[in-house]
Amino acid sequence: MPQVEYKGKVFDVDEDGFIDSFDKWCPEWVDYVKESEGIQELTEEHWKVIHVLQDYYKKHGIAPMVRILTKVTGFKLKYIYELFPSGPGKGACKMAGLPKPTGCV
Amino acid sequence: MALKHKTPMLEELEKGPWPSFVADIRRMAARKPMCEDLLGLLELSYEQKEGHWKHGGIVGVFGYGGGVIGRYCDRPDLFPNVAHFHTLRVNQPASKFYSTEQLRKICDMWEEKGSGLTNMHGSTGDMVLLGTTTDQLEPVFYHLTHELGMDLGGSGSNLRTPSCCIGKARCEWSCLDTQEITYDLTMTYQDELHRPMFPYKFKFKTSGCPNDCVAAIARADCSIIGTWRDKIRIDQEAVRAYAAGELVPNGGSHGTAKRALDIQKEVVDLCPTGCMEWDGKTLKIWDEDCTRCMHCINVMPRALRPGQDTGATILFGAKAPILEGAQLSSVVIPFMKMEPPYDEFKELIEKVWDWWMENGKNRERLGELIQRFGMKAFLEAIEVQPDPRMIKTPRYNPYIFYDPADVPGGWEHDPKAFRERHHA
Ligand code: HEM
Ligand code: HEM
Ligand code: SF4
Ligand code: SF4
């Protein structure tokens, strides 16, 4: 598995750029990924989405459905795409350190 | 051309009369190393009887949550040119009419930025561009949108690319402008198509008549199937011409030699409802009993035509076996007029989506939610009255739920009063 080093931290990532384990997540990871996900600067709203995803994942062991994410954050899906141009799965989940979405994607 | 990998098993598939995908890919391999490695990898899979693509893959273009199927080969050491082999779904024009000019432009782009291989078309309908690397995805998307006026199709838990039969463009049976419906739905629901927001995938398919050439009833969560509600149009002269052997039955599907059609045996006796009569001179149809199965029209296309008061039957719920078993769509709206801007239809669809988005479990198709909650709950949610045409037979078990409001006295009951009448 390829490794990336950023600000003194080392991450194992797959081809799609997802980290191999949620436990390895740290704020530096977000900083490292943001550019490849089309994000200049992280705002409080970015962090809100990331934290909602992480809390849900810790509690339920899966990522929330889009409908739940929009309900809990209060952000419309369109707005989530404004925050994360590649969307809640490839963008926000990747930055939050959640496992890669699977199924018929 | 000699390939850099040995492919003895694939070469077997260059024999025989059917167009060989191996010969075709090999021709492309002369120019594209990706094709060469693809054949090598496929040969390895033939040998080992196992796929050699890694699980999943999450790639895409900014702004969209779907449209690209990411794939990575699990032996990049042997086949480096297919280490990345992502597929782009490109939204096809309705019924797949093209100009060679447009196709040439697409091919030029794809030969430059991708493998040069395609699937014309995916079963959902998309033009499928097979095989490119992650760094080419945005450039391909830019070229598609800026130079070719084309967009990506759908993938993921969203509205997938709608598709339709050839319809009025080249079929005298079409009761719907299937292409206009498909184009309109595709454009109206771009947001639902590009940014997954559903519990699972959702497909629309539109056929102009019950022959259902796009197989809408089997392959779409919402199947729109053309029909009519007035009378079959009969040209008695032409019926007699079939009987006399002047016209070839079934448009020549069973042989083009002229022969007299036995109208009694081949049409009247095969009518599923027995609503036809033929006295050797005149064909009579009791249209009130006709279920519009298309048989008589299919046999005598020059003599019989669908009616003129046309519209669609709307059915919901078809899906493949996973998880709860395969389903065909069920009739929900026996007849609806379909004219632009299709407001009545869109209002219905939006109610269906609201209900499914609110109640659907993660990865639960609409058909499964209807199964889990019941058709009654579905009809109530979309404000449609039950109708005998929605069922094949009534239920034969007596586990019937009543709304307490419909039962005198409701569910409140006084056990003491009961015991006074019935001593323990
Ligand atoms: C990694 C998993 C999967 C991949 C990569 C994948 C890929 C595809 C592709 C490329 C198509 C053709 C698209 C088109 O025609 O435009 C397709 C169609 C289809 N997929 Fe999947 N798929 C996956 C999983 C599934 C699963 C789990 C199901 C069933 C629950 C499913 C059901 C279907 C069906 C029924 C069609 C054909 C629809 C039609 O006839 O119109 N797929 N899939
Ligand atoms: C006064 C009311 C009822 C009476 C007198 C009654 C009587 C019986 C009898 C005699 C059997 C056959 C037992 C055997 O052959 O081993 C049976 C089986 C069964 N009953 Fe009832 N029953 C009543 C109500 C119900 C209700 C309300 C239900 C369902 C809601 C029900 C569900 C069943 C089922 C599923 C079986 C088959 C069980 C099996 O084969 O494993 N019964 N009942
Ligand atoms: S479904 Fe009916 S209208 Fe459409 S192409 Fe087939 S026969 Fe013609
Ligand atoms: S369409 Fe079918 S049901 Fe109707 S008259 Fe013809 S054969 Fe009979």
Side-chain angles (χ1 to χ4, degrees):
Chain A
M1 197 167 253
Q3 286 194 329
V4 295
E5 215 189 307
Y6 183 74
K7 290 196 178 157
K9 307 257 174 176
V10 178
F11 305 96
D12 290 313
V13 297
D14 69 9
E15 295 92 340
D16 291 318
F18 279 74
I19 48 176
D20 69 329
S21 152
F22 182 59
D23 304 329
K24 307 268 177 64
W25 182 88
C26 58
E28 288 81 4
W29 169 250
V30 179
D31 206 37
Y32 170 71
V33 181
K34 68 176 197 291
E35 205 188 307
S36 67
E37 290 304 322
I39 298 165
Q40 305 280 318
E41 276 313 316
L42 284 145
T43 62
E44 250 170 65
E45 293 175 326
H46 286 104
W47 281 107
K48 183 172 176 186
V49 173
I50 292 175
H51 287 140
V52 166
L53 288 172
Q54 294 184 326
D55 293 344
Y56 192 94
Y57 182 71
K58 281 184 215 152
K59 203 160 154 207
H60 302 281
I62 52 167
M65 290 165 72
V66 169
R67 189 169 81 242
I68 295 168
L69 181 66
T70 52
K71 249 187 205 162
V72 178
T73 56
F75 299 153
K76 291 224 156 74
L77 184 59
K78 270 213 166 114
Y79 191 63
I80 292 183
Y81 274 88
E82 280 176 30
L83 295 172
F84 298 92
S86 40
K90 180 174 174 291
C93 283
K94 182 193 279 183
M95 293 178 87
L98 268 58
K100 179 154 80 181
T102 57
C104 186
V105 288
Chain B
M1 158 218 168
L3 291 175
K4 82 178 177 216
H5 311 287
K6 291 215 175 320
T7 57
M9 292 166 102
L10 286 174
E11 274 152 36
E12 286 296 309
L13 299 180
E14 295 189 49
K15 300 173 186 165
W18 296 101
S20 164
F21 74 95
V22 178
D24 286 350
I25 299 178
R26 180 192 279 276
R27 227 174 18 248
M28 200 66 197
R31 295 201 296 276
K32 304 294 294 186
M34 230 179 188
C35 298
E36 205 171 24
D37 275 5
L38 181 71
L39 289 172
L41 178 84
L42 187 59
E43 179 78 17
L44 183 68
S45 288
Y46 276 30
E47 245 169 71
Q48 302 181 336
K49 298 187 164 59
E50 282 174 341
H52 274 288
W53 301 107
K54 289 192 197 180
H55 181 78
I58 295 291
V59 291
V61 297
F62 284 151
Y64 289 4
V68 187
I69 320 297
R71 273 294 171 274
Y72 303 98
C73 153
D74 70 3
R75 295 304 304 269
D77 53 331
L78 303 176
F79 308 104
N81 296 312
V82 291
H84 291 212
F85 201 76
H86 310 319
T87 288
L88 288 111
R89 293 183 183 168
V90 179
N91 200 146
Q92 82 290 359
S95 306
K96 311 187 180 88
F97 283 97
Y98 291 101
S99 64
T100 53
E101 190 196 2
Q102 182 76 358
L103 289 174
R104 277 173 211 282
K105 284 185 192 161
I106 295 166
C107 291
D108 288 346
M109 179 278 291
W110 188 236
E111 219 181 297
E112 183 199 320
K113 296 182 168 57
S115 68
L117 301 181
T118 65
N119 173 3
M120 295 293 245
H121 294 73
S123 5
T124 304
D126 303 87
M127 173 191 289
V128 175
L129 303 182
L130 281 173
T132 192
T133 51
T134 306
D135 60 343
Q136 289 298 327
L137 295 174
E138 291 286 355
V140 171
F141 182 54
Y142 186 93
H143 196 102
L144 282 171
T145 49
H146 289 73
E147 309 288 329
L148 303 176
M150 296 182 90
D151 201 344
L152 292 182
S155 73
S157 290
N158 61 0
L159 173 63
R160 300 297 183 87
T161 308
S163 60
C164 59
C165 78
I166 206 160
K168 291 194 173 182
R170 297 208 64 163
C171 180
E172 63 270 43
W173 296 329
S174 194
C175 300
L176 301 171
D177 189 337
T178 60
Q179 290 158 326
E180 190 184 54
I181 292 170
T182 300
Y183 183 72
D184 187 309
L185 294 177
T186 306
M187 298 310 275
T188 306
Y189 298 118
Q190 281 287 294
D191 211 27
E192 285 77 3
L193 195 153
H194 293 306
R195 283 171 279 279
M197 58 178 74
F198 293 155
Y200 204 4
K201 61 174 94 161
F202 188 96
K203 296 174 184 170
F204 283 120
K205 283 190 171 59
T206 308
S207 278
C209 82
N211 285 331
D212 197 4
C213 292
V214 77
I217 199 170
R219 304 193 303 153
D221 301 78
C222 174
S223 325
I224 304 164
I225 300 183
T227 186
W228 63 96
R229 58 184 173 185
D230 53 346
K231 290 175 184 300
I232 291 179
R233 288 172 282 167
I234 309 178
D235 174 346
Q236 299 290 354
E237 273 309 312
V239 175
R240 287 189 280 272
Y242 276 108
E246 290 154 23
L247 293 173
V248 181
N250 284 86
S253 302
H254 309 300
T256 50
K258 288 200 170 165
R259 67 172 182 90
L261 175 68
D262 184 340
I263 290 182
Q264 184 63 39
K265 187 160 148 267
E266 297 175 71
V267 183
V268 175
D269 291 351
L270 295 181
C271 168
T273 62
C275 71
M276 311 181 81
E277 223 177 85
W278 167 243
D279 62 7
K281 281 198 215 81
T282 308
L283 184 72
K284 167 101 187 80
I285 299 176
W286 275 265
D287 290 86
E288 57 278 25
D289 290 327
C290 163
T291 54
R292 294 152 180 87
C293 76
M294 294 296 296
H295 174 70
C296 57
I297 297 173
N298 289 341
V299 177
M300 299 191 285
R302 305 267 300 263
L304 302 179
R305 286 191 289 166
Q308 287 171 300
D309 185 6
T310 53
T313 300
I314 316 291
L315 309 89
F316 288 98
K319 56 174 288 288
I322 290 170
L323 287 166
E324 299 288 334
Q327 290 189 42
L328 297 176
S329 283
S330 299
V331 173
V332 170
I333 306 292
F335 188 91
M336 182 187 275
K337 287 303 267 187
M338 291 293 276
E339 268 141 30
Y342 311 107
D343 286 337
E344 191 188 354
F345 177 77
K346 287 174 189 166
E347 264 168 45
L348 172 75
I349 284 302
E350 283 158 32
K351 280 187 223 161
V352 170
W353 283 346
D354 281 348
W355 181 70
W356 179 50
M357 280 163 76
E358 200 46 46
N359 298 295
K361 291 199 277 192
N362 197 16
R363 301 253 164 93
E364 183 175 49
R365 290 287 282 268
L366 175 66
E368 287 168 348
L369 178 61
I370 296 174
Q371 227 168 23
R372 183 160 65 88
F373 274 29
M375 187 56 92
K376 179 170 182 277
F378 179 53
L379 293 180
E380 276 166 9
I382 61 172
E383 299 170 275
V384 170
Q385 289 301 312
D387 181 304
R389 289 171 292 179
M390 294 174 185
I391 53 172
K392 180 159 180 270
T393 73
R395 67 191 306 146
Y396 47 82
N397 74 52
Y399 300 115
I400 299 169
F401 286 86
Y402 291 92
D403 182 338
D406 295 337
V407 179
W411 291 169
E412 294 305 318
H413 113 132
D414 176 4
K416 271 203 201 115
F418 177 83
R419 271 294 159 237
E420 282 189 7
R421 298 193 303 277
H422 306 276
H423 296 241

